[in-house]
């Protein structure tokens, strides 16, 4: 009995101790956990073993994770690890940075460091796992009492936890660096795929994070919006904000004047997307309301007017910082979004004040597409808007403010010919707006490809850097030390996040092409520091484009005079467009929430999408006087030259769109597009851009009527990436203007070959590739069955390469077209054709040499294959798949593909090829039987003078003309036509080398 009593008493005491510790943590008395980023093997010149263990005195290790671990690296138990620096070599024929594209050159091997995320909780107890001894002792513990000793193969080093800040501390002769990093909290579980977070820092010190949660269901996959709130360091259970699941794109959130949270999302309703909102009041969610009606509305952001800081908030703040007394209208919530109407997108906003939403107002004024707005609210009730626009046939950043019903004039923050987009905006303590953006080179998305001798353009995603400006007394200014010059990311011996200072103290420049910072998100903390969270790419092999890769969040801070070195954020790996959401709490701390797909560094294959949150503030801020007088200079004017590429393109595109083909009592139009376009979802990313940037490219830079994003298996056959791809097809569907297609690439090596798969309808999952098909032991029979079941279409590509085919399979019902030309590679018409390789010049063709795959061989076998031209990786603006369709719907475009009513081109060329027999007229792709001589008509409207037009029959040149003019037409009767089957097609060659190929017309006499 006594023993039982003592046991119960001990349990109660233990429970009381845990309860007291929990309450202490809720009250903030318990020391916070500290995360360290330990980088091992800096400046390695060979493989180095960095096995080791961490021993903590005055606290305990509560978590240890590897950063950029390779195969064989692993964590052992609670405090030990096995890790080796990894070799970073460039394989022969790899797509490397332009600076390393030297024939026969093999860059020197590099050896990249490896890292650890070490999270420590101060408290009594020795070693790495010392137990807590009670609330009183726990509350007294602090980082000043903690010492960390690390034993590694190359040597031992130790430090006091309190001596480590965001600035790196070096050990073992500079071979090791230790930095303090934000301690992250995971908010989600694998039940859902979680994405697109937004964040509210409430006036009472609590936080709310909302996000889109996706899960398949018996009735089909769907999204919903969930929300969790953090009070006293404890997160609530998830609350479902949306009334019912649906197609949902992104969240935004803000707090109103009464302290109530508002959550916003865009939801598909038939062919349109509308923005909905829901308020939580008195602890209960109110009925959802719809805030948009006209158009299709996406890319929404929200901001609430800041309020005064409660007692005990930020101290030592600069003039104009948060204080206990309000200085202007409070409680306004501003909602801004991008709306497509009549085929064009503009920026709109609405304001909530006094419980009432204002009517919508148009913010942008450009007749071109305006994109992805950002909004910030000043304490005086001013709304600051920033966005980018294609107004000058390149993306520039624009700004405008609104206060009390009045707009300021629209101002161009940037005006260079470079790509400048993805704006963010924040208000500083004095009410000045700061705008950040990312930028690339000139002629973005214009002519780029394998056989272009002098590229005058940049690919969709090669290098990015960040610009920053502040509107100061009516003039745009920028920090004296700009973002790009204040630091440089290094992807060499110093590691992904290690910048080495030159003797001047300014970090040395990286190798060309290695720096990449983009999608900045900005927020001022309570002491005046500007926090910037941005995306940076991380490749398994840092110098090879095509190596498995991801993007990670990095944090840097400007104190008015200098930048801190960028710091990676743990658990932030994912694709490009996964922005962090930022908010400032009443104490002046900046918080962030973000998505990661938890892909391991070893293979970069996504696992499950999760949401993480962290307080970003680490070091004490500099004296307020530093921020009170920031070192600013007038905005620098960048001198860059953009040699015009296709200056007459608007007129050329109009000519293609305006051309009508009348045949058989029907009228057809020509629709330009691309049916082979990759994004960062593909594991072999090659300057391809994000999924969203592909739609920017299609709508603006290329002026397409349709596009098909064809990532390999839409991302490893995974349901979530497939769902997001499908959702964006619907997101950018603009009836009558732009009709994207549901598609993916099915990649099987020779002799089966790569194929692009296209559907008119949503909801068809990718077909996994069985080993026997991948190894060439089985053909395409299963694929053809799948396509027939789902009304799909297959199009082989790269046919004469190691990714091509020997034409062992074809089903004319589901495989009607082939990609005759590819901007990333070459032409596959026949060996030695224009832009095609030969056996004596195989380097003129990428990806191997398999001449059995040339298209003439397929036609010789009797295959009825029409043609189209698309881009694949990297290449832009030189591959056009032109469909001749009766109506501009997905079904209409797929019908044109099935009927082979298509042609391929490398420029904006109108190609009209017909055959007339008696009273019947047939167009390219048709087949017919005739007892009389076939007559053909050809009309070409070139984008430049036409060098030559060839009419080809059964691999023989039947007729050639050399007009030398931009427009040409002729008629021809095949006097040598006899009984049997023949195919005829037309090839156009302009004087500038641009080409077009018609689909054949098949004739049986």
């Amino acid at each position: 009995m006594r023993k039982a009593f003592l046991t119960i008493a001990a349990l109660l005491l233990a429970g009381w101790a845990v309860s007291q510790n929990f309450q202490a943590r809720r009250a903030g008395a318990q020391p916070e956990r500290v995360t360290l980023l330990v980088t091992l093997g800096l400046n390695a010149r060979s493989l180095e073993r960095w096995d080791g263990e961490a021993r903590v005195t005055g606290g305990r290790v509560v978590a240890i994770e590897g950063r950029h671990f390779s195969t064989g690296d692993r964590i052992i138990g609670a405090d030990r690890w096995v890790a080796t620096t990894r070799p970073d070599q460039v394989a022969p024929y790899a797509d490397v940075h332009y600076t390393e594209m030297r024939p026969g050159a093999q860059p020197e091997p590099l050896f990249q460091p490896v890292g650890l995320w070490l999270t420590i909780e101060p408290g009594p107890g020795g070693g790495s796992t010392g137990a807590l001894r009670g609330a009183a002792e726990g509350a007294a513990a602090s980082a000043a009492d903690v010492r960390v000793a690390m034993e590694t193969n190359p040597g031992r080093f130790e430090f006091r936890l309190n001596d480590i800040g965001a600035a790196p501390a070096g050990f073992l002769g500079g071979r090791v660096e230790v930095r303090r990093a934000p301690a992250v909290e995971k908010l989600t579980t694998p039940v859902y795929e979680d994405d697109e977070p937004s964040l509210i820092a409430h006036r009472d010190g609590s936080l709310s994070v909302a996000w889109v949660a996706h899960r398949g269901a018996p009735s089909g996959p769907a999204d919903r919006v969930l929300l969790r709130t953090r009070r006293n360091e404890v997160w609530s259970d998830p609350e479902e904000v949306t009334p019912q699941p649906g197609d949902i794109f992104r969240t935004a959130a803000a707090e109103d004047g009464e302290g109530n949270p508002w959550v916003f999302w865009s939801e598909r309703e038939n062919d349109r997307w509308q923005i909905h909102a829901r308020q939580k009041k008195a602890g209960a969610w109110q009925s959802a309301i719809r805030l948009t009606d006209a158009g299709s509305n996406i890319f929404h952001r929200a901001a609430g007017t800041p309020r005064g800081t409660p007692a005990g908030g930020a101290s030592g703040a600069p003039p104009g910082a948060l204080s206990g007394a309000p200085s202007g209208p409070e409680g306004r919530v501003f909602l801004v979004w991008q709306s497509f109407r009549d085929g064009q997108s503009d920026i709109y906003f609405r304001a909530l004040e006094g419980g009432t939403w204002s009517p919508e107002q148009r913010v942008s004024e450009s007749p071109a597409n305006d994109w992805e707005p950002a909004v910030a609210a000043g304490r005086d009730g001013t709304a600051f808007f920033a966005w980018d626009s294609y107004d000058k046939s390149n993306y520039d950043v624009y700004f405008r403010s609104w206060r009390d019903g009045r707009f300021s004039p629209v101002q161009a923050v940037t005006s260079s010919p470079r790509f400048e987009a993805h704006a963010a905006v924040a208000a500083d303590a004095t009410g000045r707006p700061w705008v950040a953006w990312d930028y690339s080179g000139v002629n973005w998305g214009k002519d780029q490809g394998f056989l272009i001798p002098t590229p005058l353009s940049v690919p969709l995603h090669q290098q990015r850097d960040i610009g920053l400006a502040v509107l100061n007394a009516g003039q745009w200014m920028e920090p004296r030390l700009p973002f790009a010059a204040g630091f440089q990311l290094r992807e060499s011996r110093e590691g992904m996040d290690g910048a080495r200072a030159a003797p001047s103290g300014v970090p040395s420049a990286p190798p060309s092409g290695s720096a990449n910072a983009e999608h900045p998100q900005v927020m001022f903390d309570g002491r005046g520091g500007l926090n910037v969270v941005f995306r940076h790419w991380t490749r398994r092999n840092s110098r090879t484009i095509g190596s498995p890769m991801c993007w990670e969040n990095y944090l840097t801070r400007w104190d008015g005079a200098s930048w801190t070195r960028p710091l990676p954020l743990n658990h932030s790996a994912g694709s490009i467009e996964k922005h962090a959401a930022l908010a400032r709490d009443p104490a002046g701390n900046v918080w962030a929430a973000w998505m990661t797909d938890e892909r391991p560094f070893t293979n970069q294959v996504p696992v499950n999408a999760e949401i993480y949150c962290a307080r970003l503030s680490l070091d004490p801020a500099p004296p307020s006087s530093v921020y009170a007088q920031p070192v600013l200079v007038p905005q620098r004017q960048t001198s860059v030259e953009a040699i015009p590429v296709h200056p007459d393109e608007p007129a050329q595109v109009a000519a293609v769109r305006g051309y009508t083909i009348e045949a058989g009592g029907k009228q057809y139009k020509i629709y330009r597009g691309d049916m082979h376009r990759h994004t960062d979802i593909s594991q072999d990313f090659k300057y391809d851009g994000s999924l969203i940037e592909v739609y920017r490219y299609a709508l603006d830079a290329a002026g397409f009527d349709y596009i098909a994003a064809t990532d390999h298996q839409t991302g490893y056959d995974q349901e979530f990436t497939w769902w997001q791809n499908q959702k964006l097809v619907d997101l950018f569907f603009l009836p009558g203007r732009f009709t994207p297609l549901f598609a993916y690439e099915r990649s099987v090596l020779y002799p089966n070959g790569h194929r692009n798969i296209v559907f008119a309808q949503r909801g068809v999952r990718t077909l996994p590739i069985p080993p026997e098909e991948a190894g060439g032991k089985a053909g395409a029979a299963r694929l053809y069955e799948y396509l027939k079941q789902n009304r799909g279409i297959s199009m082989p590509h790269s046919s004469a390469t190691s990714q091509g085919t020997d034409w062992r399979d074809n089903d004319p019902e589901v495989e009607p077209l082939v990609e005759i030309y590819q901007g990333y590679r070459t032409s596959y018409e026949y060996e030695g054709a224009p832009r095609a390789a030969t056996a004596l010049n195989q380097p003129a063709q990428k990806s191997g040499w398999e001449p059995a795959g040339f298209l003439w061989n397929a036609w010789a076998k009797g295959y009825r294959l029409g043609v189209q031209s698309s881009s694949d990786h990297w290449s832009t603006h030189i591959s056009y798949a032109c469909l001749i369709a009766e109506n501009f719907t997905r079904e209409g475009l797929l019908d044109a593909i099935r009927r082979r009513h298509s042609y391929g081109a490398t420029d904006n060329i109108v190609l009209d090829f017909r055959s007339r027999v008696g009273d019947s007229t047939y167009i390219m792709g048709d087949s017919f039987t005739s007892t009389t001589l076939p007559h053909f008509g050809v009309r070409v409207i070139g984008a430049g003078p036409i060098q030559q037009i060839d009419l080809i029959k059964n691999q023989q040149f039947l007729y050639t003309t050399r007009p030398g003019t931009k427009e040409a037409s002729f008629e021809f009767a095949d006097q040598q036509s006899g009984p049997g089957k023949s195919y005829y097609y037309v090839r156009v060659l302009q004087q500038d080398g641009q080409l077009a190929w018609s689909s054949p017309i098949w004739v049986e006499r």
Side-chain angles (χ1 to χ4, degrees):
M1 186 72 165
R2 172 181 169 80
K3 183 177 180 180
F5 173 78
L6 290 175
T7 301
I8 294 172
L11 291 172
L12 290 173
L13 183 61
W16 176 84
V18 172
S19 175
Q20 291 300 304
N21 177 54
F22 175 72
Q23 294 299 330
R25 177 173 294 281
R26 288 173 62 97
Q30 186 71 17
E32 294 188 14
R33 294 176 174 180
V34 175
T35 296
L36 302 176
L37 172 58
V38 182
T39 305
L40 308 167
L42 292 166
N43 302 304
R45 295 185 179 274
S46 63
L47 290 176
E48 296 179 350
R49 293 291 299 270
W50 282 90
D51 305 352
E53 64 177 323
R55 305 297 296 174
V56 178
T57 303
R60 65 186 184 119
V61 176
V62 295
I64 183 170
E65 300 177 80
R67 171 169 165 78
H68 296 174
F69 268 23
S70 298
T71 302
D73 299 341
R74 64 189 185 278
I75 301 298
I76 303 173
D79 52 14
R80 298 174 57 210
W81 62 89
V82 172
T84 306
T85 58
R86 76 177 193 278
D88 184 16
Q89 298 176 323
V90 178
Y93 309 113
D95 290 321
V96 298
H97 292 310
Y98 291 145
T99 55
E100 295 174 347
M101 286 184 179
R102 299 187 298 273
Q106 275 297 295
E108 175 191 3
L110 299 179
F111 296 89
Q112 300 289 3
V114 67
L116 297 168
W117 298 102
L118 190 66
T119 301
I120 297 169
E121 185 176 82
S128 63
T129 57
L132 294 178
R133 297 178 181 172
E137 290 181 297
S142 70
D145 304 319
V146 179
R147 297 191 67 85
V148 181
M150 303 191 76
E151 297 277 0
T152 69
N153 286 358
R156 181 181 188 277
F157 58 96
E158 63 177 83
F159 51 86
R160 290 193 316 154
L161 189 58
N162 209 40
D163 291 339
I164 303 298
F171 301 94
L172 299 184
R175 299 171 71 189
V176 175
E177 281 187 354
V178 182
R179 307 177 68 182
R180 188 172 294 209
V184 302
E185 297 181 89
K186 184 179 178 181
L187 304 187
T188 53
T189 69
V191 171
Y192 294 98
E193 298 269 10
D194 304 290
D195 199 2
E196 307 287 5
S198 53
L199 178 63
I200 303 172
H202 297 283
R203 68 188 64 176
D204 63 4
S206 61
L207 297 171
S208 290
V209 177
W211 68 90
V212 179
H214 171 78
R215 183 169 63 179
S219 59
D223 304 321
R224 63 203 74 208
V225 175
L226 303 181
L227 177 140
R228 294 186 72 181
T229 298
R230 184 182 192 268
R231 287 190 176 86
N232 299 321
E233 303 185 23
V234 176
W235 288 95
S236 68
D237 292 334
E239 303 175 62
E240 188 159 347
V241 179
T242 40
Q244 65 277 322
D247 263 9
I248 295 171
F249 178 72
R250 292 198 173 172
T251 67
E255 183 181 69
D256 66 19
E258 298 177 353
N260 300 314
W262 283 80
V263 179
F264 309 88
W265 66 92
S266 181
E267 186 168 354
R268 183 169 69 93
E269 300 178 6
N270 298 318
D271 293 334
R272 306 289 180 122
W273 292 75
Q274 304 299 342
I275 296 175
H276 297 253
R278 203 169 187 188
Q279 177 196 37
K280 188 176 184 181
K281 189 172 185 178
W285 288 102
Q286 307 302 296
S287 297
I289 60 174
R290 196 172 82 174
L291 294 177
T292 58
D293 185 31
S296 196
N297 306 281
I298 54 178
F299 294 118
H300 47 290
R301 294 285 189 97
T305 305
R307 294 181 60 93
T309 303
S315 60
L322 295 178
S323 65
S327 60
E330 293 187 348
R332 286 177 177 169
V333 172
F334 302 110
L335 177 70
V336 65
W337 68 92
Q338 176 180 337
S339 182
F340 281 98
R341 304 180 187 185
D342 298 323
Q344 174 193 317
S345 67
D346 294 294
I347 309 304
Y348 288 82
F349 100 102
R350 295 184 70 175
L352 173 70
E353 187 171 11
T356 302
W357 284 97
S358 68
E360 68 172 21
Q361 298 183 63
R362 181 173 164 180
V363 178
S364 59
E365 297 179 345
S366 165
N369 284 329
D370 302 304
W371 287 88
E372 297 189 64
V375 61
R379 295 191 67 241
D380 61 356
T382 301
F384 301 111
F385 305 108
W387 67 96
D388 65 83
S389 175
Y390 205 72
D391 185 50
K392 298 177 182 177
S393 297
N394 64 274
Y395 291 113
D396 285 306
V397 175
Y398 289 84
F399 169 84
R400 186 172 216 180
S401 64
W402 176 94
R403 183 179 179 185
D404 297 331
R406 294 185 179 181
F407 279 115
S408 71
V410 173
Q411 299 186 49
V413 184
T414 68
S415 57
S416 83
R418 301 184 302 191
F419 172 97
E420 291 157 320
H422 304 132
V425 63
D428 68 14
T430 61
R432 294 177 302 185
W434 291 70
V435 178
W437 62 94
D438 61 43
Y439 61 88
S440 184
V442 300
N443 290 326
W444 179 86
K446 296 300 183 181
D447 291 15
Q448 188 72 233
F450 177 51
L451 296 177
I452 291 183
T454 306
L456 302 176
S457 312
V458 295
L460 298 191
H461 196 290
Q462 183 180 351
Q463 292 173 256
R464 295 283 169 88
D465 219 324
I466 291 175
L468 180 67
V470 55
L471 187 59
N472 184 64
Q475 181 181 7
W476 287 103
M477 310 281 284
E478 64 182 35
R480 181 184 62 82
L481 187 66
F483 186 94
F487 64 86
Q488 292 287 357
L489 294 167
R490 295 296 298 269
E491 296 181 5
S492 57
R493 288 184 172 84
E494 291 79 10
M496 293 291 184
D497 63 322
R500 294 301 184 192
S504 64
V506 177
S508 57
S512 175
S514 64
N516 199 289
E518 60 189 295
H519 290 280
Q521 308 301 312
V522 291
M523 179 66 66
F524 283 91
D525 59 39
R527 295 181 179 176
L530 178 62
N531 295 261
V532 182
V533 176
F534 61 94
R535 300 292 275 171
H536 168 63
W537 70 15
T538 298
R539 296 192 295 277
R540 181 69 181 82
N541 183 329
S542 69
R543 294 177 299 171
T544 301
I545 295 297
S547 172
M549 67 189 307
C550 67
W551 275 254
E552 296 178 289
N553 287 335
Y554 277 70
L555 166 68
T556 185
R557 184 179 181 279
W558 185 65
D559 64 10
S562 63
W563 293 94
T564 62
R565 210 178 78 189
L567 175 68
L569 300 180
N570 193 13
H571 289 287
S572 63
S575 53
I576 297 175
E577 301 264 5
K578 302 305 179 184
H579 312 145
L582 305 185
R584 182 181 59 227
D585 68 19
N589 299 306
V590 174
W591 291 77
W594 62 84
M595 172 269 197
T596 176
D597 56 27
E598 300 283 32
R599 62 184 71 185
F601 185 72
T602 50
N603 59 19
Q604 301 285 16
V605 177
V607 179
N608 197 77
E610 309 284 4
I611 304 296
Y612 281 80
C613 183
R615 191 185 69 186
L616 303 184
S617 305
L618 295 173
D619 288 343
S624 59
S625 59
V626 175
Y627 175 74
Q629 297 178 349
V631 184
L632 300 174
V633 297
Q635 190 176 17
R636 299 169 178 86
Q637 299 300 316
T638 304
S639 178
V640 290
E641 180 184 14
I643 297 174
V645 177
H646 292 286
D648 299 326
E649 184 165 51
Q652 294 168 0
V653 172
V656 175
R657 287 178 174 163
Y659 193 83
T660 300
I661 297 174
E662 296 186 6
K666 299 178 179 179
Q667 289 191 337
Y668 302 88
K669 289 289 188 179
I670 301 172
Y671 299 101
R672 298 162 56 256
D674 189 334
M675 285 189 275
H676 191 179
R677 181 78 255 169
H678 287 278
T679 78
D680 64 323
I681 292 174
S682 292
Q683 58 269 38
D684 56 344
F685 174 94
K686 296 182 177 73
Y687 299 133
D688 294 316
S690 71
L691 195 55
I692 291 173
E693 285 177 343
V694 161
Y695 290 106
R696 279 180 176 253
Y697 161 70
L699 285 164
D700 291 331
F704 283 153
D705 302 301
Y706 75 93
I707 200 165
T710 53
D711 288 303
H712 302 285
Q713 297 298 113
T714 314
Y716 307 94
D717 292 309
Q718 293 180 338
E719 196 269 349
F720 186 50
T721 50
W722 165 83
W723 172 257
Q724 291 196 315
N725 175 291
Q726 301 257 305
K727 184 161 60 176
L728 261 68
V729 171
D730 279 335
L731 192 81
F732 286 102
F733 174 50
L734 309 174
R737 166 60 186 90
F738 185 67
T739 306
L741 304 177
F742 301 105
Y744 71 94
E745 178 177 333
R746 196 164 187 270
S747 304
V748 185
L749 293 178
Y750 185 90
N752 280 321
H754 288 211
R755 290 170 162 96
N756 289 321
I757 310 301
V758 180
F759 303 96
Q761 75 279 9
R762 182 172 175 177
V764 183
R765 287 293 305 274
T766 57
L767 177 67
I769 301 168
E772 56 271 20
E773 184 181 352
K777 296 179 181 179
R782 177 67 188 94
L783 170 64
Y784 295 151
E785 178 186 359
Y786 156 81
L787 294 171
K788 290 175 181 178
Q789 291 170 348
N790 296 289
R791 300 175 57 244
I793 288 172
S794 165
M795 289 175 279
H797 66 83
S798 310
S799 57
T801 74
S802 59
Q803 301 174 0
T805 177
D806 59 3
W807 302 112
R808 58 183 52 198
D809 290 306
N810 177 255
D811 187 323
E813 180 182 347
V814 294
E815 198 162 73
L817 295 186
V818 63
E819 192 174 289
I820 191 172
Y821 172 78
Q822 184 183 94
Y824 180 58
R825 292 184 176 89
T826 46
S827 166
Y828 304 108
E829 185 182 5
Y830 60 87
E831 182 178 346
R835 300 201 192 188
T838 68
L840 298 177
N841 187 23
Q842 295 180 26
Q845 176 170 290
K846 277 176 175 276
S847 305
W849 171 253
E850 296 291 349
F854 279 113
L855 180 54
W856 272 16
N857 296 328
W859 283 334
K861 294 180 72 171
Y863 291 174
R864 291 190 176 182
L865 286 166
V867 301
Q868 53 96 354
S869 169
S870 291
S871 57
D872 198 358
H873 291 287
W874 170 39
S875 175
T876 51
H877 209 259
I878 61 170
S879 305
Y880 303 127
C882 300
L883 299 178
I884 302 170
E886 291 183 73
N887 60 80
F888 190 29
T889 63
R890 288 197 185 109
E891 287 290 353
L893 296 180
L894 269 289
D895 181 69
I897 295 173
R898 291 189 180 97
R899 295 175 181 273
R900 303 165 185 83
H901 290 171
S902 64
Y903 66 92
T906 67
D907 206 344
N908 297 307
I909 298 171
V910 173
L911 175 54
D912 185 353
F913 175 44
R914 315 183 198 189
S915 181
R916 187 182 72 256
V917 177
D919 295 331
S920 298
T921 301
Y922 302 91
I923 65 173
M924 65 180 79
D926 286 341
S927 60
F928 62 90
T929 301
S930 174
T931 58
T932 60
L933 293 178
H935 288 71
F936 299 96
V938 177
R939 185 183 182 197
V940 179
I941 302 175
I946 301 166
Q947 174 75 23
Q948 181 170 309
I949 304 174
D950 297 303
L951 176 61
I952 300 167
K953 172 189 177 182
N954 297 345
Q955 304 183 28
Q956 300 293 323
F957 288 82
L958 189 62
Y959 175 76
T960 295
T961 181
R962 297 180 176 87
T965 58
K966 289 184 67 174
E967 295 190 30
S969 60
F970 66 85
E971 292 192 359
F972 182 86
D974 183 7
Q975 301 292 340
Q976 300 176 3
S977 175
K981 298 179 181 179
S982 300
Y983 68 87
Y984 302 79
Y985 76 100
V986 171
R987 186 179 68 203
V988 179
L989 174 65
Q990 292 185 168
Q991 290 180 3
D992 59 6
Q994 302 300 331
L995 292 155
W997 304 262
S998 78
S999 286
I1001 294 176
W1002 286 268
V1003 180
E1004 181 174 1
R1005 291 199 65 197

